[in-house]
Amino acid sequence: MTAESAMRPVQAAVYARLTGDATLMALIRGVFDFVPEPDAYPYVVIGEATEVPDNRHGGFGRQTVITLHVWTQSEGHGPGLTIGDRVTELLDHQPLTITGLDHIATRFEFSQTLTDPEPPGNIRHVVLRYRIVTEQH
């Protein structure tokens, strides 16, 4: 057995969890890996990821840290934070079905609100980060 990256299956599992939730999908236009410009708000983008080994004696594991971006067009951060809260409800300490891997844990790490300074000045961005721990079967 050799160690394999968990990034692709983790991204697929996160995408399936988010798009499979009717409550979240009622709040947003979609969940994307790539968003062609221009696009209608609000939406969630599956963004950057990092991965480090988390091996144990006799087995391979990974800690994958995935960043999600909530984009809204509003006069405040309230709508984006509402969407972010739902995303966190769906992921933090919740089991994930990850193809080819055993899910050990998902932990919320942080969130940050940002305002796009470009006119018209009403684009809001909420950054969310989660650590997903997996092991190979």
Side-chain angles (χ1 to χ4, degrees), residues 71-122:
W71 291 94
T72 61
Q73 188 170 27
S74 61
E75 293 184 4
H77 289 290
L81 291 170
T82 298
I83 295 165
D85 287 345
R86 183 62 187 163
V87 169
T88 298
E89 287 176 33
L90 293 170
L91 296 177
D92 189 31
H93 288 84
Q94 299 301 313
L96 283 174
T97 302
I98 303 173
T99 301
L101 299 170
D102 293 326
H103 176 258
I104 306 302
T106 298
R107 298 181 195 100
F108 170 77
E109 287 198 344
F110 85 90
S111 63
Q112 178 182 9
T113 58
L114 300 167
T115 302
D116 188 338
E118 296 296 319
N122 64 347

Side-chain angles (χ1 to χ4, degrees), residues 5-7 10-11 43 54 57 64 69 84 89 91 94 98 102 105 111 117:
S5 175
M7 283 188 185
V10 163
Q11 179 179 349
Y43 55 87
D54 190 19
H57 182 69
T64 305
H69 303 272
E89 287 176 33
L91 296 177
Q94 299 301 313
I98 303 173
D102 293 326
S111 63

Side-chain angles (χ1 to χ4, degrees), residues 31-80:
V31 177
F32 304 100
D33 184 10
F34 170 77
V35 182
E37 294 293 334
D39 213 337
Y41 296 92
Y43 55 87
V44 173
V45 174
I46 298 175
E48 306 74 21
T50 62
E51 181 177 84
V52 296
D54 190 19
N55 299 327
R56 58 180 166 70
H57 182 69
F60 295 104
R62 294 285 187 268
Q63 289 192 25
T64 305
V65 177
I66 192 164
T67 303
L68 303 179
H69 303 272
V70 177
W71 291 94
T72 61
Q73 188 170 27
S74 61
E75 293 184 4
H77 289 290

